[in-house]
Amino acid sequence: MLYLKKTDPEIADLLEKERQRQIQGLELVASENLVSKAVLEAMGSIFTNKYAEGYPGKRYYGGCGFYDIAEDLARERMKKLFGAEHANVQPHSGTQANMAIYFATMECGKDRMMSMSLSQGGHLSHGSPVSFSGKMYQVTQYGVDLETEMLDYGVVEEMARKVRPRLIVCGASAYPREIDFKAFQEIAEGVDAKCMADIAHIAGLCATGVHNTSVGVVDFTTTTTHKTLRGPRGGAILCDSEYAQMVDKAVFPGMQGGPLMHTIAAKAVCLKEALQPSFREYNRQIVKNARRLAGTLADAGLRLVSGGTDNHLMLIDLTETQITGLEAEVALGKAGITVNKNTIPRETRSPFITSGLRIGTPAITTRGMKEPEMEQIGTLIARVLRDVHDETTIKQVKDEVIALASPFPIHPEGT
Ligand code: PLP
């Protein structure tokens, strides 16, 4: 940070403080991860200097030779990792990957889509009224069964028959159970719709066989690259060759201008890392850790939505504790445990308050933590939640969090 310290000491100071926060704290936001130094180097590189509108071999600017090679590496690695026929690695974000598929498959202002509602686990970009997706398309949303708190494919199918959508979206931001992508594709085919799976949260799990994959099963798969894939903040799309041209056109020139080539280089790096055998082990451990953490929380008397987890995340239902998601998030934050408040299936509070907490294990698993640490973390969370206003306990837990986290570097050896 030699140059940054000289040019902009304020930003350099913030970065150093944030580094300390990441080292000393426990990052349990389910959509986050910690990238390797190699990914950071590619992201913070001179590849940011170039305009490269277009695709490898067909750019609108000169001087793109090295960028073509980097983007081809990212595309080929993405295809290999997921066993896909086609990959587009240009979307700036997960939301933009979704936008590209909407543009490719639906007519704005006219066509109908179906997706999971935000309050029951879906994502903002899946048709929430406050997002472009809810403003531009006619959206009907399904949720979970309120008894089991899991998807009911029969209900989704019935809705699809009534709505006759052009696109059915599956995939979620806060759903702790396995999603049956084949069932969604079959429902879509039955009503002559296309099917898109947004695997942003579980991409690493899908790539390594820890969760069933949507690739080669549904028509379009979208993802982010910064969650369980452990890469730079960004998006990507996978599909069969027959859809390659329409997807590429929807991304550029349909939805974006110049691709973020430094990010694409970093995507290539994270995908190379993901192709190593250790990445499979990492994803298996994410799920083992989530199960153990969920078990510890349940043993401490906390109710988990759907009773547990099959993936990297769990949702605590705080209704019976009388504390809100917001109060819990703030108290845990003071103790160095970062989580986010989240709505739960029978939510009665606003999205800014909520009755739930979402907790995920990707980042702490990157640091090398395993089941014994999960038990300690679960116990610490339960202690804080017992009385979110007990500042003495919060202070004690914070000291224990620092002691627990310190032996686990945010860049484990070799990364
Ligand atoms: N899709 C899902 C399922 C997500 O959970 C998220 C973000 O958490 C996104 C898309 C959006 O990604 P981005 O924030 O990169 O737009």
Side-chain angles (χ1 to χ4, degrees), residues 83-333:
E85 290 182 3
H86 181 69
N88 186 307
V89 294
Q90 290 198 1
H92 298 334
S93 71
T95 296
Q96 287 186 265
N98 292 343
M99 184 186 254
I101 298 305
Y102 303 159
F103 282 4
T105 56
M106 292 188 286
E107 213 176 298
C108 288
K110 181 168 160 265
D111 279 335
R112 292 185 291 273
M113 69 183 257
M114 255 175 67
S115 57
M116 191 172 194
S117 75
L118 177 63
S119 63
Q120 299 207 5
H123 186 255
L124 208 60
S125 64
H126 295 179
S128 161
V130 296
S131 142
F132 77 93
S133 52
K135 296 183 201 298
M136 286 169 59
Y137 303 101
Q138 303 200 33
V139 185
T140 306
Q141 299 202 297
Y142 56 85
V144 292
D145 176 275
L146 290 179
E147 287 311 312
T148 63
E149 299 178 311
M150 297 192 208
L151 284 166
D152 180 334
Y153 296 90
V155 170
V156 177
E157 184 172 16
E158 208 175 298
M159 185 183 279
R161 286 221 189 93
K162 271 197 204 125
V163 172
R164 311 292 305 182
R166 180 60 62 108
L167 181 71
I168 298 182
V169 175
C170 58
S173 300
Y175 185 65
R177 295 301 184 175
E178 182 143 16
I179 297 173
D180 185 346
F181 295 120
K182 193 160 167 277
F184 270 104
Q185 178 69 22
E186 282 169 6
I187 293 169
E189 282 173 12
V191 296
D192 222 6
K194 297 280 181 237
C195 185
M196 179 194 108
D198 177 348
I199 61 166
H201 265 258
I202 52 171
L205 276 55
C206 293
T208 52
V210 178
H211 186 291
N212 79 85
T213 185
S214 60
V215 179
V217 175
V218 304
D219 298 302
F220 307 99
T221 294
T222 60
T223 185
T224 54
T225 45
H226 49 273
K227 299 187 175 85
T228 46
L229 264 189
R230 207 165 55 183
R233 202 153 279 283
I237 300 170
L238 296 155
C239 60
D240 285 350
S241 309
E242 61 172 314
Y243 298 128
Q245 217 185 356
M246 74 192 252
V247 165
D248 286 354
K249 268 168 84 176
V251 174
F252 175 85
M255 186 217 29
Q256 285 181 182
L260 308 175
M261 292 310 300
H262 53 305
T263 301
I264 289 176
K267 286 174 184 171
V269 176
C270 95
L271 291 164
K272 179 158 190 181
E273 291 173 354
L275 282 162
Q276 308 309 311
S278 58
F279 190 67
R280 184 178 300 266
E281 202 30 60
Y282 164 63
N283 276 278
R284 281 202 193 116
Q285 191 63 49
I286 288 177
V287 173
K288 282 193 216 161
N289 281 352
R291 289 210 176 124
R292 184 62 66 89
L293 183 53
T296 309
L297 293 169
D299 289 347
L302 292 159
R303 194 188 91 78
L304 297 178
V305 169
S306 83
T309 178
D310 298 328
N311 58 24
H312 64 301
L313 69 81
M314 64 217 73
L315 277 174
I316 303 178
D317 173 0
L318 295 165
T319 312
E320 282 167 20
T321 68
Q322 310 297 330
I323 42 176
T324 67
L326 177 61
E327 286 168 326
E329 178 190 295
V330 171
L332 287 166

Side-chain angles (χ1 to χ4, degrees), residues 340-391:
N340 68 282
K341 60 184 173 294
N342 214 99
T343 52
I344 52 165
R346 289 178 191 270
E347 189 57 73
T348 54
R349 297 184 169 112
S350 88
F352 298 105
I353 310 286
T354 82
S355 308
L357 271 189
R358 188 182 67 162
I359 294 182
T361 54
I364 49 176
T365 307
T366 293
R367 294 180 77 164
M369 294 183 193
K370 295 209 164 85
E371 287 90 333
E373 287 76 35
M374 298 308 118
E375 288 177 12
Q376 291 180 55
I377 293 169
T379 308
L380 291 174
I381 291 173
R383 261 169 66 196
V384 172
L385 295 185
R386 227 163 273 143
D387 181 357
V388 288
H389 304 295
D390 178 353
E391 297 293 336

